[in-house]
Amino acid sequence: MAERASDRLLRMLGMITYLDRHEGVPVEAIAEQFGVSARQVMDDIDTLWVTGTPGYYPHDLIDFDAASYEQGVVRLTESRGMTRPLRLGAREAVALVAALRAVEGALGSAMDPERAAVLRSALAKLTAATGDAAAAVDVQLAVDAAPDVAAAVATALRHGRRLRLRYVNASDVTTERDVDPIRLVTDDERSYLLGWCLLVEGERLFRVDRVLSAVVLDTDAEDHKVRAGAEVFSPGPDGELVTLHLSSQVRWVAETTPVDAIRNLDDGSFEIDVRVVQPAWLRHLVLQVADDVLEIRPARIAHEVAAAARAALRAYGEV
């Protein structure tokens, strides 16, 4: 699956800090640490090698030991200041205070005591350093769940209890399932419960705004090992591969949708390959950007989406 540029940037910044603390690390060990392939680690290092501070002469670039790299070991020799502590400006500090207060308000009750203590300590220190500007900050992180659902999820996470969920998916199919909650995660738009679903005997992400009801059971939740990157939805290989040819006006689709591949075309348009697990999800996506869809492959999928669009138009006509 093609990853977001922002995710790759965060990983590469993390690699610099990690390598600064470790003297010579095998590529395979870095791959395990960051949950990516050895090939991806090498691609990241090659990118970092030509990255640096303005000027971009050899002495301005992040550098690694070439001899070690040829033997499959990465040794950082010049970080170009990337590992020095940041000095925050007033606006940056206020933004960080706002983010920490939002996290504390929405997720604090669901954290284990150790993490909650770290959050409160960091927030107190940053608030004191920011001064009067921090006093005006008042934000809340929208979890999107019904109040009783949010309370049940927080209780189950805090006390390590199993949940019984009534959940409706993107195809409007409602199921009831028992879930061992692992953690609550958020992205730019949604909040999700990462849990081990006993119905399918595997990890699943549940959008909390789609949880119709949540009941905390008397059963203790079991510990489950989840794969790296489980917090990000990634369609399995069983999903049907569909190609969307889109105009440049909706390039955001490639950044916000899990895709297998992206191809930029000479006329400015682009193609994405997506794995479709639920046809309703694809229809919703295509109808959102209908004016900018140039082609859908295979043709059968295009006909199905077109039929859904015509049915929607007929419904408006009846009204």
Side-chain angles (χ1 to χ4, degrees), residues 202-219:
E203 63 200 35
R204 287 292 186 271
L205 277 174
F206 299 95
R207 259 180 56 174
V208 295
D209 61 327
R210 290 181 179 165
V211 177
L212 303 178
S213 66
V215 178
V216 181
L217 303 179
D218 291 334
T219 307

Side-chain angles (χ1 to χ4, degrees), residues 1-34:
M1 183 183 74
E3 66 178 341
R4 298 181 183 182
S6 57
D7 294 335
R8 188 184 182 201
L9 173 61
L10 288 174
R11 182 178 64 249
M12 291 194 294
L13 292 174
M15 280 185 182
I16 298 173
T17 302
Y18 177 74
L19 292 169
D20 186 63
R21 296 197 306 262
H22 299 81
E23 180 64 25
V25 185
V27 169
E28 291 76 11
I30 301 174
E32 183 177 356
Q33 174 69 24
F34 289 92

Side-chain angles (χ1 to χ4, degrees), residues 84-283:
R84 288 200 299 266
L86 292 175
R87 295 181 62 88
L88 298 176
R91 291 179 61 187
E92 295 166 325
V94 168
L96 190 53
V97 167
L100 290 176
R101 286 184 180 171
V103 171
E104 182 185 38
L107 309 180
S109 61
M111 291 182 176
D112 59 68
E114 183 178 357
R115 291 184 178 178
V118 170
L119 174 61
R120 287 193 297 269
S121 175
L123 181 55
K125 292 176 181 177
L126 188 59
T127 300
T130 306
D132 294 340
V137 176
D138 182 18
V139 294
Q140 293 184 345
L141 184 64
V143 178
D144 299 328
D148 56 333
V149 170
V153 170
T155 299
L157 285 167
R158 184 168 60 251
H159 297 292
R161 295 296 181 84
R162 183 167 292 173
L163 281 168
R164 179 159 294 160
L165 303 180
R166 284 188 64 243
Y167 185 76
V168 58
N169 64 18
S171 298
D172 202 27
V173 176
T174 301
T175 57
E176 185 172 284
R177 55 187 77 201
D178 289 353
V179 175
D180 288 338
I182 298 172
R183 54 183 170 269
L184 197 62
V185 298
T186 62
D187 62 13
D188 294 340
E189 298 180 350
R190 305 291 182 186
S191 298
Y192 300 85
L193 173 66
L194 173 63
W196 187 270
C197 178
L198 277 70
L199 181 65
V200 299
E201 285 298 325
E203 63 200 35
R204 287 292 186 271
L205 277 174
F206 299 95
R207 259 180 56 174
V208 295
D209 61 327
R210 290 181 179 165
V211 177
L212 303 178
S213 66
V215 178
V216 181
L217 303 179
D218 291 334
T219 307
D220 290 338
E222 298 178 7
D223 291 330
H224 301 277
K225 185 177 181 180
V226 298
R227 61 183 172 82
E231 297 89 348
V232 179
F233 173 73
S234 177
D238 296 336
E240 182 175 8
L241 189 65
V242 175
T243 298
L244 302 179
H245 183 189
L246 305 172
S247 76
S248 60
Q249 307 300 320
V250 291
R251 192 162 293 275
W252 58 267
V253 173
E255 279 290 312
T256 59
T257 304
V259 301
D260 273 22
I262 304 172
R263 291 178 296 278
N264 294 312
L265 305 180
D266 292 340
D267 61 358
S269 64
F270 65 100
E271 291 183 344
I272 57 174
D273 296 336
V274 295
R275 293 280 175 185
V276 179
V277 179
Q278 296 177 335
W281 169 83
L282 179 66
R283 290 195 295 270

Side-chain angles (χ1 to χ4, degrees), residues 274-305:
V274 295
R275 293 280 175 185
V276 179
V277 179
Q278 296 177 335
W281 169 83
L282 179 66
R283 290 195 295 270
H284 177 72
L285 173 64
V286 172
L287 292 177
Q288 272 188 289
V289 296
D291 289 342
D292 294 285
V293 177
L294 305 178
E295 184 184 7
I296 302 175
R297 301 191 299 270
R300 173 180 56 80
I301 301 296
H303 294 323
E304 291 175 359
V305 173

